[in-house]
Amino acid sequence: MSKKTAVFAPVSIGNVSVGFDSLGLALRPIDGQLLGDVVEVEAAQQNNFELTGDFADRLPTDRESNIVWLVLQAFEAELIVRQIPVVAVKVTLHKNIPVCSGMGSSACSVVAAFVALNDFYQQPFDDNQLLQLMGQAEAKISGSVHYDNVAPCFLGGMQLMLNNQEQVTLSLPLFKDIYWVLAYPDVEVSTQAARALLPAVYERSTLISFGQNLAGFVAACFQQDQALAFALLKDEIAEPYRAELLPDYAQTKQQLLKMNSLAVGISGSGPTIFSACEDLKTAQQQATWLEKNYLQTEHGFVAICQADATGTRAIDSVINTQELP
Ligand code: HSE
């Protein structure tokens, strides 16, 4: 057992427009700040939980309602199954990402908690086992098992989910020079509610173009054909039904495309949006425009990011993520 572990888990874009429930991308701000949650685990007299961080006040205070407390129960149950002795721990969640934001906030907490506990117990579970536990825990919040936030958050980069228990996800080659502008307006959109808006059944023509776009995008990633990849970054599954949940989404998207965005989409189930830009100057111009036009309260923020190839990692100490760009 380790004395104390501290783990950081980054934000991610679920769906990335073209891969509903199937594609996710981990991000890091270019200014070096850690945008994500941190979980610390240390030995204690009895199990206990502490909640802190910039967005802690948006979560219920009772520990039984917190996903990290549920992760602790799930992790201990798995230890018992494997006859590994369980010890009492204190778990601290630094909640730096707003809930219901579309940046994989609950995945950040779930992934950081599982990895911190796994580190504390000196790696009893491998990555695939952890991923499955993470997917099940996230489902408690969003209402269904989907890995498009937990997988990139955990493993980093762009991850394609496979419907395969032996290998849950496949890492795709990245377009490393792309800047991803994230804009969180500070309105709440619950994933469960956003999923409830979607049709239960889709037209055959929609399924065909979904398959064509996703397959073409994946091939373009492997061929590093940036123009083709971003031309195919379209969302016919969720965006048409969810756009109304976001502030002036259609006009915002149109404006960003006019400002040379390669692609604009809803991050996860929203309300955060993303815009992919080829150069930093374009990203900075868009960030300024979004700050003026898309944010709804002083807690909204815009971050210029690039792909985070690392994903979740151990850190030495808790880093202050209060100064969002
Ligand atoms: N794929 C999920 C959705 C991401 O769009 O509902 C949000 O958790």
Side-chain angles (χ1 to χ4, degrees), residues 121-260:
Y121 277 93
Q122 300 183 335
Q123 273 81 34
F125 303 109
D126 66 27
D127 284 1
N128 209 45
Q129 289 165 331
L130 280 177
L131 255 180
Q132 296 195 19
L133 291 170
M134 290 166 181
Q136 286 157 19
E138 239 248 318
K140 295 204 169 108
I141 299 265
S142 63
S144 75
V145 180
H146 51 269
Y147 293 94
D148 53 325
N149 286 118
V150 291
C153 174
F154 179 30
L155 301 170
M158 177 129 59
Q159 299 289 330
L160 176 70
M161 301 328 120
L162 310 172
N163 194 5
N164 177 5
Q165 287 299 298
E166 275 74 51
Q167 187 182 342
V168 172
T169 180
L170 179 76
S171 188
L172 298 184
L174 293 165
F175 295 102
K176 293 200 179 80
D177 297 335
I178 294 295
Y179 294 92
W180 300 83
V181 183
L182 280 183
Y184 165 66
D186 193 23
V187 296
E188 255 191 36
V189 173
S190 101
T191 298
Q192 263 189 33
R195 290 180 86 79
L197 281 179
L198 304 182
V201 174
Y202 287 87
E203 293 283 338
R204 185 188 304 173
S205 57
T206 307
L207 291 181
I208 291 170
S209 58
F210 170 74
Q212 288 169 328
N213 288 334
L214 181 56
F217 177 79
V218 170
C221 288
F222 279 99
Q223 290 174 350
Q224 286 291 286
D225 185 340
Q226 187 170 293
L228 178 62
F230 285 93
L232 296 175
L233 215 73
K234 297 174 195 156
D235 178 358
E236 292 172 66
I237 301 293
E239 187 181 293
Y241 307 96
R242 290 176 170 173
E244 66 187 48
L245 300 174
L246 282 62
D248 291 329
Y249 178 67
Q251 293 90 319
T252 303
K253 179 171 177 169
Q254 208 176 21
Q255 176 63 26
L256 295 171
L257 290 171
K258 259 197 239 160
M259 293 170 79
N260 295 326

